[in-house]
Amino acid sequence: MVEEMHPLGKIKLVQLQPAGLIIETPSGYFYDASRRVEVERLWITSKGIEATTSDGERVLDIHHLDHPDKAYDDDDLVCIGFTSHYEAMRARFGEHMVDGIAGENITIDYDQEVWMEDLGQKLAIENKITGQMTLLDLVCFAAPCDEFSHFAAQSQDKRLPAPELKAILQFLNSGRRGFLLVLCDGQEAATVQPGDRVFVVKTT
């Protein structure tokens, strides 16, 4: 078997969630995009995403296995999204759907929408400084939640009718909201940053 790599754009931005983006208020649950933290680079380990702030503080993403408030599965450690999907979201919902607003860790600049069948089983990220190639296993697409759907529709203060909410969830599903990955077995921890190249790895 031979592994072939196909270009999938470059990383545009990296970020993490020190706390979850869904908050509880007296009037219900809301999606708070302001809780995202954009950083210069991410550190990907077998336990998930972390970063170091400008003042030297180590910050864990909410999905990291060591995060004290982690309440998710163990196969959602890294999340990626694509600028092409944001173009589609802006066309449907409006300009508030800026790149990265869905909270994924890595936003990739790519001019075509991407689906599970396009990605195969693995992705590779090439560090633009060191040339290190880091392999990630694709787990599944990130299913959208009700709170993010209401945020997209600018209807967080008013519950959407069931048929409209269903249509939005379907639109954001199948990868448009993002994809979940984990570091491949045996891979060393790696730094990723804007400008790093991303590849689909396919076995032939």
Side-chain angles (χ1 to χ4, degrees):
M1 292 187 295
V2 177
E3 286 191 338
E4 297 180 349
M5 296 202 305
H6 305 277
L8 193 66
K10 290 184 178 181
I11 294 176
K12 180 178 181 179
L13 66 87
V14 294
Q15 61 186 358
L16 73 169
Q17 303 175 28
L21 303 186
I22 298 174
I23 60 173
E24 185 177 7
T25 72
S27 55
Y29 290 92
F30 290 85
Y31 184 84
D32 184 359
S34 70
R35 290 157 72 92
R36 299 171 299 128
V37 177
E38 188 172 340
V39 293
E40 292 184 358
R41 60 188 60 85
L42 294 176
W43 184 241
I44 302 179
T45 77
S46 59
K47 291 187 174 183
I49 293 285
E50 60 183 84
T52 302
T53 64
S54 56
D55 58 3
E57 179 187 4
R58 179 186 181 222
V59 180
L60 300 181
D61 185 79
I62 186 68
H63 304 88
H64 194 286
L65 294 180
D66 290 341
H67 195 292
D69 296 327
K70 179 176 174 62
Y72 303 91
D73 296 331
D74 292 349
D75 58 0
D76 61 353
L77 305 185
V78 181
C79 185
I80 64 170
F82 292 91
T83 56
S84 53
H85 291 180
Y86 280 108
E87 289 287 348
M89 285 188 265
R90 280 190 289 274
R92 176 158 180 160
F93 302 116
E95 293 302 312
H96 65 293
M97 300 300 288
V98 298
D99 292 349
I101 201 75
E104 72 276 7
N105 304 115
I106 299 168
T107 306
I108 300 165
D109 192 6
Y110 197 60
D111 61 0
Q112 301 176 47
E113 289 200 90
V114 179
W115 311 109
M116 289 289 289
E117 59 268 24
D118 301 316
L119 297 179
Q121 296 180 324
K122 292 181 183 179
L123 294 186
I125 299 177
E126 181 184 37
N127 188 295
K128 67 178 182 180
I129 298 172
T130 67
Q132 178 183 357
M133 197 70 75
T134 301
L135 292 175
L136 298 164
D137 282 323
L138 178 66
V139 178
C140 61
F141 59 78
C145 62
D146 286 8
E147 292 81 8
F148 180 67
S149 299
H150 280 87
F151 171 84
Q154 301 187 75
S155 185
Q156 296 215 83
D157 58 345
K158 183 180 179 182
R159 183 77 180 176
L160 291 168
E164 186 174 348
L165 176 59
K166 180 180 179 180
I168 292 173
L169 287 167
Q170 289 175 336
F171 176 79
L172 296 171
N173 210 16
S174 302
R176 189 169 274 132
R177 160 65 181 78
F179 298 90
L180 304 177
L181 305 97
V182 295
L183 198 65
C184 287
D185 288 343
Q187 285 287 293
E188 296 181 357
T191 300
V192 300
Q193 62 227 316
D196 288 354
R197 294 196 298 168
V198 183
F199 300 86
V200 172
V201 181
K202 291 193 175 181
T203 302
T204 58

